[in-house]
Amino acid sequence: MSQATLPPSVRSHTRGSASESLVDDRETIDVLFETLEDPDCRRILDVTEENPMSASELADACDLPLSTTYRKLDRLTESDLVSKQLRICRSGKHTAEYERAIDDVTVSVSPSGLEVRLSFLDSE
């Protein structure tokens, strides 16, 4: 299984405005497909659709070990499918929280091969 990440050109979207990125690099497409094929990654994407959640909240919601949750979150954030922010707490103990970053993934066949279009969510 490849652990390559998306190239910076794909990761150049700006949160806060609707945007799309076209992926036509075979290695990058393979990484996206492998990530989306993983049932745990898909479950995390489903759970983070409405509200950002910490890794421990996601582990509980998805019934996953915390170590597995962190591995899946690393994979999802590297693929830009999930975004990571800092949850500020008055106690001073800040926590990373994760939120689904994509709205849609479209796969099409072009004369040069497969193309994947990622549509990123607007941030409120």
Side-chain angles (χ1 to χ4, degrees):
M1 208 183 271
S2 173
Q3 293 298 318
T5 60
L6 296 179
S9 61
V10 174
R11 298 162 43 131
S12 65
H13 68 278
T14 303
R15 294 279 291 169
S17 63
S19 62
E20 291 186 346
S21 290
L22 179 65
V23 182
D24 56 6
D25 172 66
R26 184 65 195 176
E27 183 178 343
T28 304
I29 290 172
D30 288 345
V31 171
L32 283 169
F33 284 170
E34 288 171 6
T35 302
L36 292 170
E37 180 181 35
D38 185 313
D40 295 333
C41 288
R42 288 195 314 269
R43 198 170 329 139
I44 290 170
L45 285 171
D46 287 340
V47 171
T48 57
E49 179 180 6
E50 296 294 322
N51 297 310
M53 300 175 82
S54 69
S56 60
E57 291 167 340
L58 282 166
D60 289 342
C62 296
D63 195 28
L64 295 171
L66 189 57
S67 59
T68 300
T69 303
Y70 276 113
R71 278 195 313 277
K72 304 301 179 175
L73 286 169
D74 286 345
R75 190 173 185 180
L76 287 161
T77 54
E78 287 295 319
S79 297
D80 273 347
L81 300 174
V82 169
S83 63
K84 178 180 175 180
Q85 297 88 26
L86 189 62
R87 181 188 299 168
I88 307 296
C89 298
R90 288 182 183 217
S91 67
K93 186 174 181 183
H94 309 310
T95 304
E97 62 182 15
Y98 302 86
E99 182 175 28
R100 192 172 88 181
I102 58 158
D103 181 43
D104 191 37
V105 177
T106 306
V107 179
S108 59
V109 179
S110 72
S112 60
L114 287 178
E115 293 181 341
V116 177
R117 187 171 306 278
L118 301 174
S119 298
F120 294 95
L121 292 168
D122 292 333
S123 77
E124 313 252 345

